[in-house]
Short mmCIF file of all heavy atoms in Angstrom, two decimals:
data_model
loop_
_atom_site.label_atom_id
_atom_site.label_comp_id
_atom_site.label_asym_id
_atom_site.label_seq_id
_atom_site.Cartn_x
_atom_site.Cartn_y
_atom_site.Cartn_z
N ILE A 11 64.66 96.27 21.42
CA ILE A 11 65.36 95.88 20.20
C ILE A 11 66.50 96.84 19.83
O ILE A 11 67.58 96.41 19.45
CB ILE A 11 64.35 95.74 19.04
CG1 ILE A 11 63.42 94.54 19.30
CG2 ILE A 11 65.05 95.62 17.69
CD1 ILE A 11 62.27 94.41 18.34
N GLU A 12 66.26 98.12 19.96
CA GLU A 12 67.23 99.12 19.49
C GLU A 12 68.61 98.98 20.14
O GLU A 12 69.63 99.03 19.43
CB GLU A 12 66.68 100.54 19.67
CG GLU A 12 67.44 101.56 18.87
CD GLU A 12 66.61 102.81 18.61
OE1 GLU A 12 65.76 103.16 19.44
OE2 GLU A 12 66.83 103.42 17.56
N VAL A 14 70.14 96.35 21.22
CA VAL A 14 70.79 95.15 20.69
C VAL A 14 71.34 95.44 19.29
O VAL A 14 72.50 95.16 18.98
CB VAL A 14 69.81 93.95 20.64
CG1 VAL A 14 70.44 92.75 19.96
CG2 VAL A 14 69.34 93.59 22.04
N VAL A 15 70.50 96.04 18.45
CA VAL A 15 70.89 96.37 17.07
C VAL A 15 72.04 97.38 17.07
O VAL A 15 73.05 97.19 16.39
CB VAL A 15 69.68 96.88 16.26
CG1 VAL A 15 70.10 97.39 14.89
CG2 VAL A 15 68.63 95.78 16.12
N ASP A 16 71.91 98.44 17.86
CA ASP A 16 72.96 99.46 17.96
C ASP A 16 74.26 98.85 18.48
O ASP A 16 75.34 99.16 17.98
CB ASP A 16 72.54 100.60 18.89
CG ASP A 16 71.48 101.51 18.30
OD1 ASP A 16 71.18 101.38 17.09
OD2 ASP A 16 70.92 102.33 19.05
N LEU A 18 75.43 96.00 18.10
CA LEU A 18 76.09 95.17 17.09
C LEU A 18 76.64 96.02 15.94
O LEU A 18 77.21 95.49 14.99
CB LEU A 18 75.11 94.12 16.55
CG LEU A 18 74.71 93.04 17.55
CD1 LEU A 18 73.54 92.20 17.00
CD2 LEU A 18 75.90 92.15 17.89
N GLY A 19 76.43 97.35 16.02
CA GLY A 19 76.98 98.24 15.01
C GLY A 19 76.07 98.53 13.83
O GLY A 19 76.52 98.96 12.78
N TYR A 20 74.77 98.32 14.02
CA TYR A 20 73.80 98.57 12.94
C TYR A 20 72.84 99.66 13.37
O TYR A 20 72.72 100.00 14.54
CB TYR A 20 73.00 97.30 12.63
CG TYR A 20 73.87 96.14 12.23
CD1 TYR A 20 74.24 95.17 13.15
CD2 TYR A 20 74.32 96.00 10.92
CE1 TYR A 20 75.04 94.10 12.79
CE2 TYR A 20 75.12 94.93 10.55
CZ TYR A 20 75.48 93.99 11.50
OH TYR A 20 76.29 92.93 11.13
N GLU A 21 72.12 100.20 12.39
CA GLU A 21 71.06 101.17 12.66
C GLU A 21 69.72 100.43 12.61
O GLU A 21 69.46 99.67 11.67
CB GLU A 21 71.05 102.28 11.59
CG GLU A 21 69.88 103.22 11.73
CD GLU A 21 69.64 104.10 10.51
OE1 GLU A 21 70.34 103.94 9.49
OE2 GLU A 21 68.73 104.94 10.58
N LEU A 22 68.88 100.65 13.60
CA LEU A 22 67.52 100.12 13.55
C LEU A 22 66.70 101.09 12.70
O LEU A 22 66.50 102.24 13.06
CB LEU A 22 66.92 100.02 14.95
CG LEU A 22 65.46 99.56 15.00
CD1 LEU A 22 65.30 98.14 14.45
CD2 LEU A 22 64.92 99.64 16.42
N VAL A 23 66.27 100.62 11.54
CA VAL A 23 65.51 101.47 10.63
C VAL A 23 64.04 101.47 11.01
O VAL A 23 63.40 102.51 11.12
CB VAL A 23 65.68 101.00 9.16
CG1 VAL A 23 64.78 101.79 8.22
CG2 VAL A 23 67.13 101.13 8.74
N SER A 24 63.49 100.28 11.23
CA SER A 24 62.06 100.19 11.51
C SER A 24 61.73 98.82 12.08
O SER A 24 62.47 97.85 11.89
CB SER A 24 61.29 100.40 10.20
OG SER A 24 59.90 100.37 10.41
N ILE A 25 60.59 98.75 12.75
CA ILE A 25 60.05 97.50 13.28
C ILE A 25 58.59 97.43 12.84
O ILE A 25 57.87 98.42 12.94
CB ILE A 25 60.10 97.47 14.82
CG1 ILE A 25 61.51 97.69 15.34
CG2 ILE A 25 59.52 96.16 15.35
CD1 ILE A 25 61.56 97.94 16.84
N ARG A 35 58.97 91.97 11.97
CA ARG A 35 60.00 92.33 11.01
C ARG A 35 60.86 93.45 11.58
O ARG A 35 60.33 94.47 12.03
CB ARG A 35 59.38 92.80 9.70
CG ARG A 35 58.73 91.71 8.93
CD ARG A 35 58.22 92.17 7.56
NE ARG A 35 57.53 91.08 6.92
CZ ARG A 35 56.21 90.90 6.96
NH1 ARG A 35 55.44 91.77 7.61
NH2 ARG A 35 55.66 89.88 6.36
N VAL A 36 62.16 93.24 11.54
CA VAL A 36 63.12 94.23 12.02
C VAL A 36 64.00 94.60 10.84
O VAL A 36 64.65 93.73 10.25
CB VAL A 36 63.96 93.65 13.19
CG1 VAL A 36 65.01 94.65 13.64
CG2 VAL A 36 63.06 93.23 14.35
N TYR A 37 64.00 95.88 10.47
CA TYR A 37 64.80 96.36 9.35
C TYR A 37 66.05 97.03 9.91
O TYR A 37 65.95 97.93 10.74
CB TYR A 37 64.01 97.35 8.50
CG TYR A 37 62.82 96.74 7.83
CD1 TYR A 37 61.54 96.88 8.37
CD2 TYR A 37 62.96 96.01 6.65
CE1 TYR A 37 60.43 96.31 7.76
CE2 TYR A 37 61.86 95.45 6.03
CZ TYR A 37 60.60 95.59 6.59
OH TYR A 37 59.52 95.03 5.98
N ILE A 38 67.22 96.59 9.43
CA ILE A 38 68.49 97.13 9.88
C ILE A 38 69.27 97.69 8.70
O ILE A 38 69.02 97.32 7.56
CB ILE A 38 69.34 96.06 10.62
CG1 ILE A 38 69.67 94.89 9.68
CG2 ILE A 38 68.63 95.59 11.88
CD1 ILE A 38 70.68 93.90 10.24
N ASP A 39 70.23 98.56 9.01
CA ASP A 39 71.07 99.11 7.94
C ASP A 39 72.43 99.48 8.52
O ASP A 39 72.60 99.58 9.74
CB ASP A 39 70.40 100.35 7.33
CG ASP A 39 70.85 100.63 5.91
OD1 ASP A 39 71.66 99.86 5.35
OD2 ASP A 39 70.39 101.64 5.34
N LYS A 40 73.38 99.67 7.64
CA LYS A 40 74.69 100.24 7.97
C LYS A 40 75.20 100.88 6.69
O LYS A 40 74.70 100.62 5.60
CB LYS A 40 75.65 99.19 8.53
CG LYS A 40 76.06 98.11 7.57
CD LYS A 40 77.02 97.13 8.22
CE LYS A 40 77.41 96.07 7.20
NZ LYS A 40 78.31 95.09 7.74
N GLU A 41 76.18 101.74 6.84
CA GLU A 41 76.67 102.53 5.71
C GLU A 41 77.10 101.67 4.53
O GLU A 41 76.83 102.00 3.38
CB GLU A 41 77.84 103.40 6.17
CG GLU A 41 78.12 104.54 5.23
CD GLU A 41 79.12 105.51 5.82
OE1 GLU A 41 78.92 105.94 6.96
OE2 GLU A 41 80.10 105.83 5.12
N GLY A 43 75.95 98.83 3.65
CA GLY A 43 74.87 97.96 3.19
C GLY A 43 74.78 96.71 4.05
O GLY A 43 75.64 96.45 4.89
N ILE A 44 73.74 95.95 3.83
CA ILE A 44 73.45 94.77 4.65
C ILE A 44 73.59 93.50 3.83
O ILE A 44 73.11 93.42 2.70
CB ILE A 44 72.01 94.87 5.21
CG1 ILE A 44 71.90 96.06 6.17
CG2 ILE A 44 71.58 93.59 5.91
CD1 ILE A 44 72.75 95.96 7.42
N LEU A 45 74.24 92.51 4.43
CA LEU A 45 74.39 91.18 3.82
C LEU A 45 73.59 90.17 4.64
O LEU A 45 73.18 90.46 5.77
CB LEU A 45 75.87 90.77 3.79
CG LEU A 45 76.81 91.72 3.04
CD1 LEU A 45 78.26 91.29 3.25
CD2 LEU A 45 76.46 91.73 1.56
N VAL A 46 73.42 88.98 4.10
CA VAL A 46 72.68 87.93 4.79
C VAL A 46 73.31 87.62 6.15
O VAL A 46 72.62 87.41 7.14
CB VAL A 46 72.59 86.65 3.92
CG1 VAL A 46 71.98 85.50 4.70
CG2 VAL A 46 71.78 86.92 2.66
N ASP A 47 74.64 87.62 6.21
CA ASP A 47 75.33 87.36 7.48
C ASP A 47 74.99 88.39 8.55
O ASP A 47 74.89 88.07 9.73
CB ASP A 47 76.85 87.32 7.28
CG ASP A 47 77.31 86.07 6.54
OD1 ASP A 47 76.52 85.10 6.45
OD2 ASP A 47 78.46 86.07 6.05
N ASP A 48 74.80 89.64 8.13
CA ASP A 48 74.40 90.69 9.07
C ASP A 48 73.03 90.39 9.66
O ASP A 48 72.81 90.49 10.87
CB ASP A 48 74.37 92.06 8.38
CG ASP A 48 75.73 92.49 7.85
OD1 ASP A 48 76.72 92.40 8.60
OD2 ASP A 48 75.79 92.92 6.68
N CYS A 49 72.11 90.00 8.81
CA CYS A 49 70.75 89.68 9.25
C CYS A 49 70.76 88.50 10.21
O CYS A 49 70.07 88.49 11.23
CB CYS A 49 69.85 89.38 8.05
SG CYS A 49 69.60 90.80 6.98
N SER A 50 71.56 87.50 9.88
CA SER A 50 71.66 86.31 10.72
C SER A 50 72.23 86.66 12.09
O SER A 50 71.72 86.19 13.13
CB SER A 50 72.56 85.29 10.02
OG SER A 50 72.74 84.17 10.82
N ARG A 51 73.25 87.49 12.11
CA ARG A 51 73.88 87.90 13.36
C ARG A 51 72.89 88.64 14.27
O ARG A 51 72.77 88.35 15.46
CB ARG A 51 75.07 88.80 13.02
CG ARG A 51 75.87 89.26 14.19
CD ARG A 51 77.10 90.01 13.70
NE ARG A 51 77.83 90.53 14.84
CZ ARG A 51 78.40 91.71 14.87
NH1 ARG A 51 78.38 92.49 13.82
NH2 ARG A 51 79.03 92.11 15.94
N VAL A 52 72.16 89.58 13.70
CA VAL A 52 71.19 90.36 14.48
C VAL A 52 70.03 89.45 14.92
O VAL A 52 69.59 89.52 16.07
CB VAL A 52 70.68 91.58 13.68
CG1 VAL A 52 69.52 92.26 14.39
CG2 VAL A 52 71.82 92.56 13.44
N SER A 53 69.57 88.60 14.03
CA SER A 53 68.47 87.68 14.36
C SER A 53 68.83 86.80 15.54
O SER A 53 68.03 86.61 16.47
CB SER A 53 68.13 86.83 13.14
OG SER A 53 67.10 85.92 13.46
N LEU A 56 68.83 88.97 18.72
CA LEU A 56 67.48 89.40 19.09
C LEU A 56 66.65 88.24 19.60
O LEU A 56 65.84 88.41 20.53
CB LEU A 56 66.77 90.05 17.90
CG LEU A 56 67.14 91.49 17.59
CD1 LEU A 56 66.37 91.98 16.38
CD2 LEU A 56 66.88 92.39 18.79
N LEU A 72 60.35 85.79 13.64
CA LEU A 72 61.21 86.97 13.59
C LEU A 72 61.89 87.02 12.23
O LEU A 72 62.49 86.03 11.81
CB LEU A 72 62.27 86.91 14.69
CG LEU A 72 63.36 87.99 14.67
CD1 LEU A 72 62.75 89.38 14.88
CD2 LEU A 72 64.41 87.69 15.74
N GLU A 73 61.78 88.14 11.54
CA GLU A 73 62.47 88.36 10.27
C GLU A 73 63.35 89.59 10.43
O GLU A 73 62.87 90.64 10.86
CB GLU A 73 61.48 88.63 9.13
CG GLU A 73 60.71 87.45 8.66
CD GLU A 73 59.79 87.78 7.48
OE1 GLU A 73 59.79 88.94 6.99
OE2 GLU A 73 59.06 86.88 7.07
N VAL A 74 64.61 89.46 10.10
CA VAL A 74 65.53 90.59 10.11
C VAL A 74 66.01 90.79 8.68
O VAL A 74 66.44 89.84 8.03
CB VAL A 74 66.74 90.33 11.04
CG1 VAL A 74 67.72 91.50 10.99
CG2 VAL A 74 66.27 90.09 12.48
N SER A 75 65.88 92.02 8.17
CA SER A 75 66.28 92.24 6.78
C SER A 75 66.77 93.67 6.57
O SER A 75 66.63 94.52 7.44
CB SER A 75 65.12 91.91 5.84
OG SER A 75 64.30 93.01 5.60
N SER A 76 67.32 93.89 5.38
CA SER A 76 67.71 95.24 4.99
C SER A 76 66.43 95.99 4.64
O SER A 76 65.42 95.38 4.33
CB SER A 76 68.65 95.20 3.79
OG SER A 76 67.93 94.87 2.63
N PRO A 77 66.47 97.31 4.67
CA PRO A 77 65.26 98.07 4.38
C PRO A 77 64.86 98.05 2.90
O PRO A 77 63.73 98.35 2.57
CB PRO A 77 65.60 99.48 4.84
CG PRO A 77 67.07 99.54 4.90
CD PRO A 77 67.57 98.16 5.10
N GLY A 78 65.77 97.70 2.00
CA GLY A 78 65.44 97.65 0.58
C GLY A 78 65.33 99.03 -0.05
O GLY A 78 65.51 100.05 0.60
N ARG A 81 62.55 101.51 1.28
CA ARG A 81 62.78 101.48 2.72
C ARG A 81 61.75 102.28 3.50
O ARG A 81 61.30 103.33 3.06
CB ARG A 81 64.18 101.97 3.05
CG ARG A 81 64.40 103.43 2.79
CD ARG A 81 65.83 103.88 3.06
NE ARG A 81 66.15 103.80 4.46
CZ ARG A 81 67.31 103.34 4.94
NH1 ARG A 81 68.26 102.95 4.13
NH2 ARG A 81 67.53 103.30 6.22
N PRO A 82 61.39 101.77 4.68
CA PRO A 82 60.48 102.53 5.54
C PRO A 82 61.23 103.71 6.16
O PRO A 82 62.44 103.63 6.40
CB PRO A 82 60.07 101.51 6.62
CG PRO A 82 61.08 100.42 6.56
CD PRO A 82 61.70 100.45 5.20
N HIS A 88 65.39 110.07 9.23
CA HIS A 88 65.26 109.36 7.95
C HIS A 88 64.74 110.32 6.89
O HIS A 88 65.24 110.32 5.76
CB HIS A 88 64.31 108.18 8.07
CG HIS A 88 64.82 107.09 8.97
ND1 HIS A 88 63.98 106.13 9.48
CD2 HIS A 88 66.04 106.80 9.44
CE1 HIS A 88 64.68 105.29 10.22
NE2 HIS A 88 65.94 105.69 10.22
N ARG A 91 67.50 112.67 5.90
CA ARG A 91 68.52 112.00 5.08
C ARG A 91 68.06 111.83 3.64
O ARG A 91 68.87 111.90 2.71
CB ARG A 91 68.84 110.63 5.67
CG ARG A 91 69.96 109.93 4.90
CD ARG A 91 70.25 108.52 5.37
NE ARG A 91 70.25 108.38 6.80
CZ ARG A 91 70.06 107.22 7.43
NH1 ARG A 91 69.86 106.12 6.75
NH2 ARG A 91 70.06 107.16 8.74
#
Side-chain angles (χ1 to χ4, degrees):
I11 292 172
E12 196 158 31
V14 174
V15 172
D16 288 350
L18 292 170
Y20 302 97
E21 174 195 4
L22 176 63
V23 174
S24 182
I25 304 169
R35 290 185 184 95
V36 177
Y37 296 99
I38 61 171
D39 204 2
K40 65 179 181 181
E41 198 170 309
I44 295 296
L45 302 172
V46 173
D47 288 344
D48 297 312
C49 295
S50 177
R51 183 174 176 219
V52 171
S53 178
L56 281 179
L72 173 63
E73 288 183 2
V74 177
S75 90
S76 73
R81 68 183 293 138
H88 294 162
R91 183 184 318 158

